[in-house]
Amino acid sequence: MIDNVKQKIMEFIISEKNLLPSDIQEDTPLISTGIIDSISTLSLVDFIETTFNIQFEPFEVDQENLNTVQKIADFILRKQMN
Amino acid sequence: MKALKELIVRLYPTEATALMVPGKPDISYQQLVESFKKISTQLADLGIKPGDRIGICSASKSDTIIVIGACLMADMIYVPMEAHQAVSRNCAIITSNGLRAILFDPLITVSYEQHISVDSRSTILNLDFIGLALESQNEIIIHPDLAFILNTSGSTGMPKGVMITHQNAWSFIQWTTRQYRFLTSDRFASIAPLHFDLSVFDVFVALHTQATLVLFDASMAKNPLILAQYISEFQISILYSTPSLLSSLVDFGKLSNHTYLRLRYIFFAGEPYPIEKFKQLHTQIPHASYSNWYGPTETNVVTYYNMPIDVQTMTQSIPIGKTCAHMDSLMKQDPDSNLSELLICGPSVSPGYFNSRNLTDQSFILVDGRNWYKTGDLVTIDENGDYIFHGRKDRMVKRRGYRIELDELQHHFCTYPGVIQGAIVAKTRDNLVVIYAVYKSIQLNSLLDIRNFMLDRLPLYMIPDHFIRRDALPLTSTGKIDLQVLISSI
């Protein structure tokens, strides 16, 4: 389950930013390094909301939850459980 | 007395709220005026003299505004800087603007210390005060009315320092208050960063009106969900921003979760607002009055177009409109197209770039003793006498309202190890400016590594969206990279 989530996020980021699959791993910092800028962050949030059927609270759009693929996947699972 | 100084000195020290920051205590006019005086004295005690340039490199907008007021009171010149951009770029600004001192966020001071010669240290507000040892430089002649310097992208690879005089800013403030009705009960939003020219309106028109200015920092401005919530909660009534930001509110802010009943005026500037995107915003917030403002940093707003009430029938692009009452404009036939370049003259036109006669002479032209700015923007005029913007003469593009000289990018990109030939080009896709770095290199490079290399030298908003490696780049007969062919090949 979680691997599937990670896979989908990974694919989205790679295609959105035109990266090579080898450029990002599960623990590669995405926002703090600028790989994902503010506009891409919004597309990512939009993608996550529609793909995984969850809703972000305004304060949840944050590096804490979005900085790595691992963190994003954890966040999605937490939200789905609530 | 100089105009902005007079504006600051004449503020009534009332109990009314001057500044609001989400999550922090409000600051009244009385507190603000006291802070201006206190910091002004502290700066003078630290040896800063009238005419000295002071950099402000802080993410805290309230601290920055207090320093701005203090500088104006004491005839010092302030230079707002982006706190979280490449150290090397800010260092270039420190040198080219001949700064006498800088106020840093304590968190970032350490990354600058090895690059600057520290002469003295102190603390002002919550900021690190660093006095700089000035290298012996040729005496710079300071324009007697200079108030602040705004640094923008320059095609040589170095930022350009646009000098803004008290009179420049004041003539713009006066125009806005004659054209629109602002009230002391208004709540102005400060969304644009303070090193960006849109903020001149937010800060000075709000203070001049003795209204309330609500400060949104960069992290809030980047999060449309939070911004939409705050615009509603803080009952914002005047909002000035870029079409990119307004579109992101529509696309990602879930605007319909809140109401915006007090929102009276929405001004936008910095780039064209595609009409279909504008209609989406108008549908969400139909009761506000909208205006499209146009003008580069060098002139501030020079033309304006108040949107009609019935926008849903509009199909053409939104005009940049008519020349403001205090300004003059003329059209100069462009030799390379059937369009004309827009030239601007009047009290809000900057006297030029700081300490750069050369750059100033390239963009400004004296005719009969009047200083005209050549915008580089190509326009036509429609049957109503409104200007229509069509594009640029040169290689400058605008993204999210920020100016980007593609040659500044290219200059840095081509120094990446292993790049034999490189070019930066831009294309518009779905109304968005997309920047491509196309290059020929010895071996395959990690895109992450190239991106980080660029981020060490340039602000995030300038970083290309796509990096494309090619075996060869198209060349012109004179051996230069053929940019037109290159663009059409992407």
Side-chain angles (χ1 to χ4, degrees):
Chain A
M1 167 79 175
I2 188 157
D3 286 340
N4 185 24
V5 171
K6 285 181 194 164
Q7 181 67 26
K8 281 189 176 152
I9 298 162
M10 205 84 103
E11 280 166 11
F12 174 81
I13 294 169
I14 285 165
S15 84
E16 169 86 7
K17 299 315 291 182
N18 216 8
L19 298 173
L20 298 171
S22 58
D23 276 335
I24 53 168
Q25 269 75 50
E26 283 178 27
D27 57 353
T28 307
L30 300 170
I31 296 180
S32 57
T33 51
I35 296 176
I36 294 199
D37 61 12
S38 54
I39 301 288
S40 308
T41 306
L42 301 176
S43 312
L44 176 66
V45 167
D46 197 44
F47 170 80
I48 294 170
E49 287 192 338
T50 43
T51 312
F52 302 103
N53 196 27
I54 59 166
Q55 292 286 312
F56 279 76
E57 294 298 325
F59 60 87
E60 289 173 338
V61 182
D62 188 89
Q63 280 202 30
E64 282 291 297
N65 297 324
L66 296 171
N67 203 28
T68 64
V69 172
Q70 179 70 51
K71 284 185 174 175
I72 298 168
D74 291 344
F75 174 75
I76 292 169
L77 292 185
R78 254 198 334 270
K79 289 290 275 191
Q80 285 178 334
M81 268 186 267
N82 287 340
Chain B
M1 196 189 295
K2 293 173 185 173
L4 291 182
K5 179 178 181 176
E6 190 165 345
L7 186 158
I8 295 293
V9 172
R10 289 200 171 177
L11 290 175
Y12 293 110
T14 63
E15 296 287 320
T17 303
L19 305 180
M20 290 177 111
V21 185
K24 299 217 170 121
D26 296 349
I27 299 172
S28 70
Y29 271 94
Q30 187 185 353
Q31 290 168 318
L32 188 65
V33 168
E34 276 167 19
S35 302
F36 285 161
K37 287 182 186 159
K38 187 175 144 211
I39 303 305
S40 179
T41 311
Q42 282 184 8
L43 287 170
D45 289 347
L46 286 164
I48 308 297
K49 297 191 170 48
D52 282 348
R53 273 83 60 212
I54 302 180
I56 316 165
C57 203
S58 165
S60 160
K61 279 188 166 180
S62 52
D63 284 354
T64 304
I65 287 173
I66 289 170
V67 175
I68 286 174
C71 285
L72 289 171
M73 252 185 193
D75 296 302
M76 297 158 188
I77 292 148
Y78 67 89
V79 180
M81 294 157 79
E82 190 179 347
H84 296 290
Q85 76 168 348
V87 170
S88 64
R89 195 161 194 269
N90 273 339
C91 286
I93 292 172
I94 291 168
T95 311
S96 66
N97 292 3
L99 299 190
R100 177 74 185 73
I102 316 170
L103 292 155
F104 283 115
D105 262 341
L107 285 174
I108 61 171
T109 312
V110 62
S111 37
Y112 285 87
E113 281 176 334
Q114 54 187 20
H115 303 286
I116 52 179
S117 37
V118 179
D119 184 50
S120 62
R121 287 167 196 277
S122 189
T123 304
I124 282 191
L125 293 163
N126 306 310
L127 305 171
D128 283 346
F129 172 95
I130 304 285
L132 296 173
L134 284 184
E135 291 158 30
S136 60
Q137 49 185 342
N138 295 334
E139 197 52 41
I140 304 170
I141 300 161
I142 308 294
H143 190 287
D145 196 42
L146 182 58
F148 55 96
I149 302 173
L150 297 176
N151 287 276
T152 69
S153 181
S155 56
T156 57
M158 290 281 288
K160 297 192 282 197
V162 182
M163 297 192 283
I164 309 292
T165 65
H166 287 258
Q167 203 49 51
N168 290 157
W170 177 241
S171 61
F172 164 66
I173 297 162
Q174 271 189 311
W175 172 77
T176 64
T177 56
R178 284 174 187 158
Q179 190 70 32
Y180 305 93
R181 282 180 57 81
F182 304 126
L183 311 166
T184 51
S185 57
D186 270 321
R187 296 256 179 102
F188 288 70
S190 162
I191 299 173
L194 297 173
H195 59 268
F196 192 28
D197 64 345
L198 268 64
S199 68
V200 172
F201 170 82
D202 307 334
V203 173
F204 292 110
V205 177
L207 292 185
H208 181 53
T209 313
Q210 297 247 165
T212 300
L213 181 64
V214 186
L215 304 175
F216 300 116
D217 66 25
S219 66
M220 299 173 198
K222 281 177 190 159
N223 182 339
L225 288 170
I226 287 208
L227 201 55
Q229 183 188 329
Y230 282 163
I231 290 170
S232 173
E233 265 179 32
F234 283 87
Q235 303 183 24
I236 297 300
S237 58
I238 318 274
L239 193 156
Y240 180 27
S241 191
T242 59
S244 297
L245 185 131
L246 295 170
S247 293
S248 82
L249 279 175
V250 172
D251 293 338
F252 305 107
K254 299 179 187 165
L255 280 176
S256 54
N257 285 355
H258 312 279
T259 55
Y260 313 91
L261 297 175
R262 285 195 62 187
L263 207 39
R264 300 199 296 125
Y265 285 118
I266 298 181
F267 306 113
F268 50 90
E271 61 192 339
Y273 205 151
I275 183 69
E276 294 308 320
K277 300 294 286 181
F278 174 75
K279 285 179 186 173
Q280 293 171 5
L281 174 67
H282 191 269
T283 307
Q284 299 266 5
I285 308 175
H287 56 274
S289 303
Y290 292 87
S291 294
N292 183 21
W293 287 356
Y294 158 86
T297 306
E298 285 84 345
T299 67
N300 213 324
V301 176
V302 286
T303 72
Y304 68 106
Y305 182 81
N306 295 336
M307 297 298 292
I309 294 165
D310 180 21
V311 297
Q312 297 302 334
T313 57
M314 280 181 78
T315 52
Q316 307 281 322
S317 59
I318 300 173
I320 57 173
K322 295 193 169 61
T323 311
C324 302
H326 64 304
M327 301 299 287
D328 282 323
S329 65
L330 65 82
M331 292 162 77
K332 184 169 162 280
Q333 178 63 47
D334 178 52
D336 305 321
S337 65
N338 53 359
L339 305 166
S340 300
E341 183 182 5
L342 190 62
L343 272 63
I344 305 294
C345 180
S348 75
V349 173
S350 157
Y353 303 109
F354 187 77
N355 200 22
S356 180
R357 192 71 258 163
N358 245 345
L359 280 176
T360 303
D361 288 345
Q362 283 168 29
S363 300
F364 295 83
I365 178 170
L366 269 179
V367 182
D368 300 333
R370 302 180 78 207
N371 189 28
W372 289 81
Y373 176 66
K374 300 185 273 186
T375 62
D377 288 332
L378 297 174
V379 299
T380 54
I381 199 157
D382 73 5
E383 63 280 8
N384 302 317
D386 288 317
Y387 283 121
I388 313 286
F389 171 81
H390 291 276
R392 291 287 302 172
K393 250 173 90 88
D394 53 20
R395 299 232 306 136
M396 189 189 89
V397 298
K398 283 208 158 186
R399 196 150 68 152
R400 295 171 224 164
Y402 283 105
R403 276 159 63 156
I404 304 174
E405 290 283 2
L406 296 179
D407 288 328
E408 177 174 10
L409 269 178
Q410 188 164 305
H411 170 89
H412 289 289
F413 177 65
C414 290
T415 62
Y416 182 77
V419 167
I420 299 167
Q421 245 179 353
I424 306 284
V425 291
K427 248 184 157 166
T428 306
R429 288 226 160 123
D430 302 330
N431 293 317
L432 280 178
V433 174
V434 184
I435 298 178
Y436 300 85
V438 190
Y439 64 104
K440 180 176 159 184
S441 71
I442 308 167
Q443 80 280 358
L444 260 174
N445 310 96
S446 152
L447 293 178
L448 211 51
D449 195 50
I450 303 183
R451 200 180 284 271
N452 286 338
F453 176 86
M454 300 291 276
L455 267 177
D456 282 342
R457 289 158 180 77
L458 294 163
L460 184 57
Y461 64 81
M462 285 198 189
I463 306 304
D465 301 284
H466 300 291
F467 295 89
I468 304 171
R469 184 165 175 257
R470 290 268 174 88
D471 293 334
L473 300 187
L475 299 179
T476 62
S477 56
T478 54
K480 291 183 186 166
I481 297 172
D482 193 330
L483 296 172
Q484 294 315 318
V485 174
L486 186 64
I487 289 170
S488 53
S489 74
I490 292 172

